[in-house]
């Protein structure tokens, strides 16, 4: 009866959608809505943690595209984390529910920037409400083994990377940026399971299995609680992580290497069923047995000038992903960047960052374009690499608010030698 009485006040709230910031301390006084008159802390102590978040991205093309425009897009995220030990005496287990709502329009499409990567990363996968996470997580053997099962967003566990930048080149799990036809990043989730084993004094190794179901991209299934028809295979990622700490300053690092295999039959990007180029002879694409790729994601703290703030100072990152040349139209991406928190002594919570990246079009796509031109079916441009740069500065006037103006420069948008894109942007993040 004790547990039932704890649950009663929150049964109606449990289904409210919200974004979970895993690992954040419940300092609710730092959130815009505060502690709800003490209720938020009481619910947290009983095992129920509620969070709300809002992100908006506004962008304008001062160069590139068919005309100058301004586009605004946003995302509300609502989530509930249930500590099942506190709530129901089930030790070492949590339950997570996250629901998202995306709105607005996309500058890359509306003004025809022709870029391979969106300049507003928060746009996409249907501007609608979605069940983004609904999973159960259990640890065993003093937290040395972790098992998660349910509706998972793959980028939350594999090739994980933050989305502080606004250009998609520098945001989220990189494989989803190049093989988004079957690796679905946030906010799309699929039925999946993941097992992680901690390697003492090293890091961890983990493997997952995600149902490959393109139906999840259809808007009518965005809020569907079951599993729609259309599963065509499984996406199996594997990741090894080394998590070192260097020197007396305890400079933390994260070095991840991973690979994936998609068991579903996947169309070839160049050949038809007769082995002839699709761009010239048309027909149905040749189907390949599966698709695969590999990635790395390195993040290293370089300086730590403030003992009271472990996040202060300079950090660097490098991300790289490559996908197989048979099935991936865009089959490579690399990104490198620097971030410094506390660049000004009188603004210790601000940060500044810069990143450079290249997204590469498969050379077999270029081969098909050359064949198309040779056959007199063109002219079509020959695609290569797209180069992106982004610089931002984060102003934190309050603990719950990030105000982040940025400038993006995109050279050879679409991998084509054409007018470069210059984008002025503003990313606003609110922790409610």
């Amino acid at each position: 009866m004790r547990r039932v009485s704890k649950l009663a006040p929150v049964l109606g709230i449990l289904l409210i959608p919200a974004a979970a910031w895993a690992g954040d301390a419940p300092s609710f006084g730092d959130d815009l809505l505060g502690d709800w008159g003490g209720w938020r802390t009481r619910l947290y102590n009983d095992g129920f943690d509620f969070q709300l978040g809002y992100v908006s991205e506004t962008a304008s093309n001062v160069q590139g595209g068919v005309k100058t425009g301004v586009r605004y897009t946003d995302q509300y995220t609502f989530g509930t984390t249930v500590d099942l030990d506190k709530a129901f005496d089930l030790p070492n287990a949590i339950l997570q529910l996250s629901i998202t709502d995306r709105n607005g329009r996309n500058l890359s499409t509306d003004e025809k920037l022709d870029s391979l990567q969106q300049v507003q990363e928060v746009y996409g996968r249907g501007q609608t409400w979605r069940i983004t996470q609904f999973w159960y997580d259990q640890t065993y053997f003093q937290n040395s083994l972790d098992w998660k099962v349910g509706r998972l967003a793959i980028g939350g566990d594999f090739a994980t990377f933050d989305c502080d930048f606004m250009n998609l080149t520098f945001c989220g799990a990189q494989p989803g940026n190049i093989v988004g036809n079957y690796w679905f990043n946030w906010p799309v989730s699929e039925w999946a399971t993941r097992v992680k084993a901690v390697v003492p004094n090293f890091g961890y190794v983990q493997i997952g299995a995600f149902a490959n179901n393109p139906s999840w991209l259809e808007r009518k299934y965005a809020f569907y609680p079951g599993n729609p028809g259309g599963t065509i295979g499984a996406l199996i990622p594997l990741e090894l992580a080394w998590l070192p700490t260097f020197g007396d300053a305890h400079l933390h690092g994260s070095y991840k290497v991973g690979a994936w295999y998609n068991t579903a039959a996947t169309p070839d990007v160049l050949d038809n069923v007769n082995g002839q180029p699709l761009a010239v002879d048309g027909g149905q694409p040749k189907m390949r047995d599966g698709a695969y790729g590999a990635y790395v994601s390195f993040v290293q703290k370089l300086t730590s000038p403030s003992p009271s703030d472990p996040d202060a100072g300079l950090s660097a990152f490098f991300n790289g992903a490559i996908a197989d040349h048979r099935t991936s139209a865009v089959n490579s991406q690399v990104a490198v960047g620097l971030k410094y928190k506390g660049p000004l002594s009188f603004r210790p919570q601000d940060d500044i960052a810069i990143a450079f990246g290249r997204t590469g079009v498969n050379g077999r796509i270029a081969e098909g374009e050359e064949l198309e031109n040779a056959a007199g079916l063109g002219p079509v441009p020959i695609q290569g690499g797209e180069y992106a740069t982004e610089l931002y500065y984060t102003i934190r006037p309050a603990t719950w608010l990030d105000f982040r103006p940025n400038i993006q420069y995109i050279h050879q948008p679409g991998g084509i030698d054409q007018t470069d894109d210059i984008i002025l942007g503003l990313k606003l993040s609110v922790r409610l």
Side-chain angles (χ1 to χ4, degrees), residues 127-191:
Q127 305 301 86
T128 186
W129 291 88
R130 278 191 180 276
I131 298 174
T132 295
Q133 296 185 98
F134 185 45
W135 46 256
Y136 170 87
D137 189 286
Q138 177 77 58
T139 62
Y140 305 90
F141 311 119
Q142 298 180 329
N143 298 323
S144 62
L145 186 67
D146 185 302
W147 173 56
K148 183 187 286 188
V149 64
R151 288 277 295 276
L152 277 63
I154 187 170
D157 288 282
F158 295 88
T160 303
F161 191 72
D162 61 41
C163 275
D164 291 340
F165 290 92
M166 207 166 89
N167 190 292
L168 191 60
T169 308
F170 315 114
C171 168
Q174 206 171 47
N177 296 342
I178 62 174
V179 290
N181 56 321
Y182 63 81
W183 179 302
F184 305 147
N185 279 341
W186 179 286
V188 180
S189 64
E190 298 173 282
W191 290 104

Side-chain angles (χ1 to χ4, degrees), residues 115-298:
S115 58
L116 297 173
Q117 301 293 296
Q118 291 180 176
V119 300
Q120 293 160 285
E121 56 78 21
V122 82
Y123 178 90
R125 297 306 198 187
Q127 305 301 86
T128 186
W129 291 88
R130 278 191 180 276
I131 298 174
T132 295
Q133 296 185 98
F134 185 45
W135 46 256
Y136 170 87
D137 189 286
Q138 177 77 58
T139 62
Y140 305 90
F141 311 119
Q142 298 180 329
N143 298 323
S144 62
L145 186 67
D146 185 302
W147 173 56
K148 183 187 286 188
V149 64
R151 288 277 295 276
L152 277 63
I154 187 170
D157 288 282
F158 295 88
T160 303
F161 191 72
D162 61 41
C163 275
D164 291 340
F165 290 92
M166 207 166 89
N167 190 292
L168 191 60
T169 308
F170 315 114
C171 168
Q174 206 171 47
N177 296 342
I178 62 174
V179 290
N181 56 321
Y182 63 81
W183 179 302
F184 305 147
N185 279 341
W186 179 286
V188 180
S189 64
E190 298 173 282
W191 290 104
T193 187
R194 185 269 291 146
V195 177
K196 177 191 290 186
V198 174
V199 182
N201 302 315
F202 182 84
Y204 64 80
V205 61
Q206 63 177 355
I207 189 171
F210 291 73
N212 184 347
N213 190 338
S215 295
W216 287 120
L217 301 181
E218 298 181 37
R219 187 167 183 167
K220 64 181 178 181
Y221 294 121
F223 218 76
Y224 185 65
N227 187 49
T231 299
I232 57 176
L235 175 59
I236 303 171
L238 174 68
E239 181 176 285
L240 174 68
W242 177 41
L243 308 174
T245 300
F246 297 104
D248 295 337
H250 303 290
L251 301 174
H252 295 286
S254 171
Y255 296 83
K256 304 173 187 175
V257 295
W260 72 86
Y261 183 72
N262 171 26
T263 68
T266 309
D268 192 282
V269 297
L270 177 63
D271 295 340
N272 64 19
V273 292
N274 298 316
Q276 300 302 311
L278 288 160
V280 176
D281 290 9
Q284 295 298 312
K286 181 177 182 178
M287 299 305 292
R288 297 288 188 171
D289 293 331
Y292 51 86
Y295 63 87
V296 297
S297 181
F298 302 155

